[in-house]
Amino acid sequence: MDPLSTLWETFFDADAMREALPEMLTVGLPNTLILAVSAALLGSVLGLLLAVAGISRSRWLRWPARVYTDVFRGLPAAATILLIGVGLAPLGMQVWGPDPYPLGILALSLIAAAYIGEIFRSGIQSVEAAQLEGARALGFSWADAMRLVIIPQGIRRVLPAWVNQLIALIKDSSLVYFLGLVASQRELFRIGQDYAATTGNESALLLAGLCYLALTVPLTHIVNWIDRRLRHGRPATAPDDEADELLLPAATQGDRR
């Protein structure tokens, strides 16, 4: 058989895609978003704590934050998911029963925290030291200056990098299938894999990949737009009253002529 025909029939079967599409949209897409967004939010909270600990003057805070970051950034995501999902399964059984879904979110959150913590730390350290000195001169304590002045500016500067991490989480959510999710908890990749195993055709997996592209490509353009806005700001425009005042002398000179 012609290789191109084999490739087309294996990965571009419209009937196989049409059969898998409803379940991907109603089950896979919501679960993928729940996993990614939940992990991003929890990871951001833990990552902010890691960032503050990482710039602390106390070695008892700084060293554990560094060890955590090195460990979870160095381990493969699949290994971390298996360690958390299997290692903490007995504890999960006692807390929420045999549902592995929360452990998948926890594992993704711990992975994301290591990266987001470094993102936040770089953003905080990029804020000029004069900002902190000025806040302290106005009577702010160190904690209040960090909470109200430094950290908000630092997070604002690294929003594009944070969105990039959200894109990575959307793709990493496909690894949660290692934990054996039930049918109603399957994400996009798992549904595509199940259809491919059932039909013997890989078109459902390609459809899952297209769904991931539909999620990540718009986010990539949003990142670029945010980055441009943060670097260049809004175009300067004069208020209407000021514009009228600027135009009035020119009109007066024209009348005199």
Side-chain angles (χ1 to χ4, degrees), residues 152-176:
Q153 292 186 68
I155 292 177
R156 180 178 179 272
R157 295 182 180 187
V158 295
L159 277 179
W162 184 91
V163 179
N164 279 329
Q165 185 58 38
L166 176 60
I167 293 173
L169 280 172
I170 290 174
K171 294 183 290 185
D172 286 346
S173 65
S174 63
L175 300 174
V176 177

Side-chain angles (χ1 to χ4, degrees), residues 125-137:
Q125 290 182 326
S126 71
V127 179
E128 296 78 5
Q131 298 277 351
L132 180 59
E133 295 171 0
R136 296 299 302 276

Side-chain angles (χ1 to χ4, degrees), residues 238-253:
D240 293 337
D241 293 338
E242 294 181 9
D244 292 340
E245 293 176 4
L246 292 173
L247 292 174
L248 183 58
T252 304
Q253 292 177 3

Side-chain angles (χ1 to χ4, degrees), residues 64-112:
R66 173 51 56 189
V67 170
Y68 177 97
T69 301
D70 290 342
V71 169
F72 281 93
R73 290 178 69 186
L75 284 174
T80 303
I81 291 172
L82 285 174
L83 284 172
I84 300 299
V86 177
L88 297 182
L91 178 61
M93 288 283 291
Q94 298 176 6
V95 177
W96 51 70
D99 185 3
Y101 204 75
L103 289 176
I105 293 176
L106 176 61
L108 289 175
S109 301
L110 295 177
I111 296 169

Side-chain angles (χ1 to χ4, degrees), residues 50-228:
L50 287 172
V52 174
I55 62 176
S56 173
R57 297 177 181 177
S58 172
R59 68 180 64 180
W60 302 108
L61 294 176
R62 190 171 62 253
W63 288 0
R66 173 51 56 189
V67 170
Y68 177 97
T69 301
D70 290 342
V71 169
F72 281 93
R73 290 178 69 186
L75 284 174
T80 303
I81 291 172
L82 285 174
L83 284 172
I84 300 299
V86 177
L88 297 182
L91 178 61
M93 288 283 291
Q94 298 176 6
V95 177
W96 51 70
D99 185 3
Y101 204 75
L103 289 176
I105 293 176
L106 176 61
L108 289 175
S109 301
L110 295 177
I111 296 169
Y115 292 93
I116 294 176
E118 286 298 284
I119 291 172
F120 284 166
R121 183 179 64 82
S122 64
I124 292 171
Q125 290 182 326
S126 71
V127 179
E128 296 78 5
Q131 298 277 351
L132 180 59
E133 295 171 0
R136 296 299 302 276
L138 291 174
F140 287 89
S141 65
W142 184 88
D144 288 340
M146 291 294 294
R147 179 171 59 89
L148 299 175
V149 179
I150 305 300
I151 291 178
Q153 292 186 68
I155 292 177
R156 180 178 179 272
R157 295 182 180 187
V158 295
L159 277 179
W162 184 91
V163 179
N164 279 329
Q165 185 58 38
L166 176 60
I167 293 173
L169 280 172
I170 290 174
K171 294 183 290 185
D172 286 346
S173 65
S174 63
L175 300 174
V176 177
Y177 83 91
F178 286 135
L179 303 182
L181 301 176
V182 300
S184 61
Q185 297 173 333
R186 294 175 301 167
E187 32 66 45
L188 288 169
F189 180 78
R190 183 61 181 178
I191 291 176
Q193 192 178 48
D194 288 346
Y195 272 95
T198 302
T199 62
N201 189 283
E202 307 296 330
S203 299
L205 279 175
L206 178 63
L207 179 61
L210 294 176
C211 290
Y212 282 112
L213 283 176
L215 291 173
T216 57
V217 170
L219 283 175
T220 302
H221 290 287
I222 290 174
V223 168
N224 296 334
W225 179 80
I226 292 175
D227 186 50
R228 287 195 300 270

